[in-house]
């Protein structure tokens, strides 16, 4: 391995910690702060609660119902994202999301 390869990687590093930190956060990723994400997560939490209770009381029926609710939550989140309520969606472009 030549020393030129290591020098080129050293030369491209940011000069200080502030530059490195700024370059990491240049791109907005959304963090899921949208109605689609919130709805998806809340439905999935309800499904996890039902499934957990079903597991504790040893009821396969309630456990499976909870799993079904989790899948419904995923589908609702996906549909809401496609309808424009997700990150970068058309329904949220005017309110800062």
């Amino acid at each position: 391995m030549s020393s030129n390869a290591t020098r080129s990687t050293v030369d491209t590093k940011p000069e200080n910690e502030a530059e490195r930190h700024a370059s990491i956060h240049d791109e907005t990723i959304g963090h899921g702060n949208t109605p689609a994400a919130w709805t998806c997560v809340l439905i999935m939490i309800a499904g996890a609660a039902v499934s957990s209770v079903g597991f504790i009381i040893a009821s396969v029926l309630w456990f499976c119902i909870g799993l079904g609710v989790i899948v419904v939550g995923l589908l609702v989140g996906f549909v809401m994202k496609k309808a424009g309520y997700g990150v970068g969606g058309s329904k949220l472009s005017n309110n800062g999301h």
Side-chain angles (χ1 to χ4, degrees), residues 2-90:
S2 71
S3 62
N4 291 338
T6 57
R7 285 184 186 176
S8 65
T9 57
V10 171
D11 294 340
T12 60
K13 289 183 179 177
E15 291 182 18
N16 58 32
E17 183 67 23
E19 284 183 23
R20 185 182 69 78
H21 189 269
S23 67
I24 291 172
H25 298 287
D26 284 345
E27 187 177 319
T28 302
I29 57 174
H31 297 289
N33 192 14
T34 63
W38 280 99
T39 305
C40 175
V41 169
L42 289 175
I43 293 172
M44 290 174 65
I45 288 173
V50 170
S51 190
S52 297
V53 169
F55 182 80
I56 290 170
I57 65 172
S59 172
V60 175
L61 175 66
W62 284 106
F63 181 78
C64 291
I65 289 172
L67 293 179
V69 171
I70 291 172
V71 171
V72 168
L74 286 171
L75 292 174
V76 167
F78 180 76
V79 169
M80 286 183 71
K81 180 181 177 186
K82 290 297 182 186
Y85 291 100
V87 174
S90 61

